């Protein structure tokens, strides 16, 4: 069905010497690199729009499932693993980033990384940027199609709130743009909003650390009250880690302005943080992207560009929650104790408010807007091989998530799709039309928007060619 002679240097089958290296090139979670994991019949490294079209039509005509990968950061490996016969459509060669400063817009291909996008914008201007995530190796395709969450969201919303056009290959192999696909499908693939931003030449960043043995609990509690209400030019993440047997909470901030404006602004409403001028550093916005990757301040922005080196993978499990009311101090202390007991869990708390409260939950499929104080990411990682270690750490993740139940959203307990977690519900690839299975996770990700997504899916892909364990099923064939 797939032949290397068809498209030279674009198709890799298990017979190719480079097959394994291409497969592993964009796998960041070691749980999905084991020998027991299902492997694709072929990997198609698309190098043109036509390669994408040909792959879609060929796979569909031969009843082979397709998994689409850009950066490979899918936490549950759904973009490159399936339990039924499948091929991987690897988008990473499609990395064009065309920046037009005059119109303040950019066309970017799905295989480009966030780092490439930031780098190319910075090469053209020091007062333009785009709201997206902080990890430079994340692929554009997966990031944008599931929301596009980042430290500029309180000012400008998500990536999807600022996408004004898109091109896709549909299930019939045809290329469509916003006009030809229609507004329903454009809505469904996360379109909407404007894409023009003006920035100061310098932004200010800081990282203030507090130990729970000192005043971290008081500061973390106050953070919940003020972080969503701060000036929308300011984003302050709270990150709790276990360091040498104790929990350290880092308050990591980015301000779209100078130090002399930032410090009094923070101290007026968040004096507990104790922010000083010496904690802060001004830099061009593009350099703040390396700051968020915890790299030295003098790191070259060339590090934002992808390399051909296979990533250093580790085993990990991630989960998410939304918080709508402040977590009490007594509960915070219990959380620190459980983190210390397990010793390998960290949490990121990302504040809402600002622009996120002003966008309607129905404006895009992403419904988590007004009413949220912050989003939590839980992250458990380990290095030991073997089933016993895997089961132990996965149980740590699930038990910690269960412990957090009283303090997070309920009816439904919401989840962030970019932090992929099949624990909250999944359908098997061989039963991919099941409404009953899809309904388990649909309200967590999409709430009231799910029904509209189903209608669009039924209209554009009634045979359910594009599918995975947490995809949207069509109405036809529900059971």
């Amino acid at each position: 069905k797939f032949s290397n002679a068809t498209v030279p240097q674009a198709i890799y089958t298990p017979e190719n010497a480079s097959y394994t290296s291409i497969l592993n090139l964009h796998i960041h979670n070691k749980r999905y690199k084991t020998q027991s994991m299902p492997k694709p019949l072929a990997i198609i490294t698309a190098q043109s729009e036509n390669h994408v079209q040909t792959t879609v039509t060929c796979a569909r005509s031969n009843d082979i499932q397709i998994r689409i990968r850009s950066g490979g950061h899918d936490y549950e490996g759904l973009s490159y693993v399936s339990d039924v016969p499948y091929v991987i459509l690897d988008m990473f060669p499609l990395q064009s980033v065309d920046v037009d400063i005059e119109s303040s817009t950019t066309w970017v291909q799905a295989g480009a990384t966030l780092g490439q996008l930031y780098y190319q914008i910075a090469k053209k201007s020091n007062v333009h940027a785009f709201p997206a995530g902080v990890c430079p190796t994340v692929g554009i395709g997966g990031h944008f199609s599931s929301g596009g969450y980042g430290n500029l969201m309180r000012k400008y919303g998500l990536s999807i709130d600022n996408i004004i056009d898109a091109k896709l290959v549909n299930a019939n192999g045809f290329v469509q743009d916003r006009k030809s696909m229609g507004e329903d499908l454009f809505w469904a693939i996360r379109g909407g909003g404007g894409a023009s931003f003006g920035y100061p030449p310098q932004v200010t960043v800081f990282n203030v650390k507090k130990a729970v043995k000192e005043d971290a609990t008081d500061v973390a509690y106050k953070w919940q009250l003020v972080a969503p209400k701060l000036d929308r030019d300011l984003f302050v993440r709270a990150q709790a880690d276990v360091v040498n047997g104790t929990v350290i909470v880092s308050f990591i901030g980015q301000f779209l302005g100078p130090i002399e404006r930032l410090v009094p602004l923070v101290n007026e409403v968040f004096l507990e943080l104790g922010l000083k001028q010496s904690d802060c550093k001004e830099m061009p916005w593009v350099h703040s992207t390396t700051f968020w990757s915890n790299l030295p301040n003098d790191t070259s922005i060339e590090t934002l560009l992808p390399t051909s080196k296979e990533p250093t993978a580790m085993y990990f499990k991630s989960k998410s929650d939304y918080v709508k009311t402040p977590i009490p101090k007594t509960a915070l202390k219990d959380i620190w104790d459980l983190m210390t007991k397990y010793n390998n869990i960290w949490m990121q708390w990302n504040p809402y408010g600002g622009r996120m409260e002003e966008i309607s939950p129905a404006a895009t499929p992403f419904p988590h807007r007004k009413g949220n104080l912050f989003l939590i990411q839980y992250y458990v990682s380990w290095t030991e091989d073997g089933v016993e270690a895997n089961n132990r750490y996965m149980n740590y993740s699930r038990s910690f998530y269960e412990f957090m139940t009283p303090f997070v959203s309920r009816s439904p307990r919401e989840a962030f799709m970019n932090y992929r977690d099949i624990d909250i519900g999944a359908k098997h690839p061989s039963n991919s039309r099941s409404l009953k299975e899809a309904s388990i996770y649909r309200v967590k990700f999409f709430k009231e928007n799910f029904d509209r997504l189903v209608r669009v899916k039924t209209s554009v892909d009634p045979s359910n060619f594009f599918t995975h364990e947490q995809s949207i099923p069509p109405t036809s064939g529900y059971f």
Side-chain angles (χ1 to χ4, degrees):
K1 304 299 193 303
F2 293 92
S3 168
N4 286 332
T6 306
V7 186
Q9 299 180 338
I11 298 178
Y12 299 84
T13 65
E15 289 73 33
N16 292 116
S18 300
Y19 172 85
T20 300
S21 62
I22 293 295
L23 177 62
N24 291 337
L25 185 59
H26 295 97
I27 296 180
H28 297 265
N29 192 341
K30 201 173 180 180
R31 288 197 288 137
Y32 299 102
K33 293 181 74 172
T34 61
Q35 289 296 318
S36 61
M37 278 293 138
K39 303 296 188 291
L41 301 174
I43 305 167
I44 298 89
T45 56
Q47 299 174 41
S48 69
E49 189 176 277
N50 178 258
H51 289 182
V52 178
Q53 294 175 276
T54 301
T55 302
V56 168
T57 55
C58 181
R60 184 175 183 179
S61 64
N62 290 284
D63 198 24
I64 297 173
Q65 193 171 103
I66 190 171
R67 293 295 166 108
I68 305 169
R69 181 170 73 171
S70 51
H73 279 260
D74 190 318
Y75 283 0
E76 297 286 12
L78 302 188
S79 63
Y80 50 85
V81 175
S82 178
D83 288 333
V84 300
Y86 73 107
V87 297
I88 293 176
L89 175 57
D90 231 330
M91 304 293 285
F92 72 84
L94 299 176
Q95 299 182 352
S96 172
V97 180
D98 184 10
V99 180
D100 183 353
I101 294 300
E102 184 175 347
S103 64
S104 294
T105 61
T106 297
W107 272 107
V108 56
Q109 290 185 314
T113 63
L114 296 184
Q116 285 176 289
L117 174 61
Y118 300 155
Y119 178 86
Q120 294 299 336
I121 291 174
K123 296 292 283 186
K124 294 287 186 73
S125 169
N126 64 354
V127 292
H128 286 78
F130 187 80
V134 300
C135 180
T137 58
V138 166
I140 292 294
H143 190 65
F144 284 8
S145 64
S146 295
Y149 192 100
N151 54 24
L152 295 175
M153 68 172 189
R154 299 189 66 251
K155 179 74 171 181
Y156 298 114
L158 307 174
S159 299
I160 58 171
D161 300 319
N162 301 282
I163 295 174
I164 59 174
D165 203 348
K167 288 185 178 180
L168 62 80
V169 174
N170 67 16
N172 295 316
F174 298 122
V175 178
Q176 296 179 309
D177 61 10
R178 179 175 181 173
K179 182 178 180 180
S180 60
M181 75 177 73
E183 288 303 305
D184 276 347
L185 181 52
F186 186 63
W187 174 89
I189 64 169
R190 308 301 191 266
S196 175
F197 302 103
Y199 281 79
Q202 300 282 99
V203 301
T204 303
V205 297
F206 61 84
N207 187 344
V208 177
K209 298 179 183 293
K210 301 287 184 178
V212 298
K213 293 181 179 179
E214 299 167 351
D215 59 349
T217 301
D218 292 336
V219 180
Y221 179 77
K222 183 63 178 290
W223 176 92
Q224 298 178 89
L225 306 180
V226 302
K229 299 178 181 179
L230 291 170
D231 187 301
R232 65 182 61 196
D233 284 345
L234 177 59
F235 179 93
V236 182
R237 165 184 288 173
Q239 180 167 313
D241 300 86
V242 181
V243 181
N244 297 325
T246 189
V247 173
I248 303 294
V249 184
S250 300
F251 297 89
I252 311 167
Q254 176 174 295
F255 179 61
L256 305 180
I259 294 175
E260 56 265 26
R261 181 172 162 232
L262 168 64
V263 175
L265 186 154
V266 172
N267 288 336
E268 181 180 354
V269 294
F270 195 12
L271 189 61
E272 294 82 354
L273 182 61
L275 183 67
K276 305 184 295 291
Q277 284 200 10
S278 58
D279 297 320
C280 305
K281 185 171 180 61
E282 292 183 5
M283 58 184 64
W285 173 80
V286 69
H287 287 285
S288 74
T289 62
T290 60
F291 163 82
W292 282 98
S293 297
N294 203 30
L295 297 172
N297 290 331
D298 59 354
T299 299
S300 168
I301 65 171
E302 306 294 327
T303 61
L304 296 174
L305 299 175
T307 69
S308 58
K309 184 179 179 181
E310 184 178 320
T312 302
M314 66 172 61
Y315 301 103
F316 69 85
K317 174 66 179 178
S318 181
K319 303 178 82 66
S320 64
D321 263 320
Y322 283 92
V323 177
K324 299 180 184 293
T325 58
I327 301 172
K329 289 184 182 180
T330 54
L332 290 176
K333 293 177 181 178
D334 292 337
I335 291 171
W336 312 146
D337 288 343
L338 189 56
M339 289 182 67
T340 303
K341 176 183 176 181
Y342 290 157
N343 198 41
N344 71 327
I345 292 177
W346 59 250
M347 287 192 292
Q348 285 180 348
W349 296 0
N350 295 291
Y352 263 53
R355 179 67 177 143
M356 292 296 287
E357 290 197 346
E358 299 169 353
I359 299 172
S360 166
T364 70
F366 185 94
H368 315 290
R369 305 287 187 171
K370 188 175 182 179
N372 292 297
L373 296 179
F374 57 98
L375 165 67
I376 297 178
Q377 178 181 195
Y378 312 99
Y379 193 91
V380 174
S381 62
W382 63 99
T383 58
E384 300 99 310
D385 296 324
V387 174
E388 192 277 331
N390 182 81
N391 291 341
R392 181 170 73 254
Y393 290 112
M394 293 289 281
N395 286 336
Y396 285 172
S397 173
R398 290 161 181 159
S399 63
F400 194 90
Y401 181 76
E402 182 64 26
F403 174 82
M404 292 295 294
T405 302
F407 315 117
V408 299
S409 62
R410 62 192 71 182
S411 299
R413 185 171 182 173
E414 300 172 33
F416 178 43
M417 192 176 186
N418 272 128
Y419 296 156
R420 183 83 74 187
D421 177 16
I422 60 174
D423 286 352
I424 68 171
K427 49 188 173 58
H428 192 273
S430 64
N431 193 25
S432 60
R433 291 173 178 264
S434 173
L435 174 60
K436 181 178 180 180
E437 290 182 309
S439 66
I440 297 172
Y441 59 80
R442 64 174 184 172
V443 293
K444 297 175 182 290
F445 286 150
F446 305 114
K447 301 174 72 174
E448 291 82 4
N449 292 330
F450 183 77
D451 289 342
R452 183 178 176 186
L453 285 168
V454 168
R455 290 196 298 272
V456 175
K457 173 72 172 183
T458 304
S459 173
V460 302
D461 185 19
S463 66
N464 203 29
F465 173 70
F466 293 115
T467 185
H468 58 73
E469 285 80 350
Q470 289 186 331
S471 62
I472 305 298
T475 54
S476 56
Y478 271 168
F479 53 89

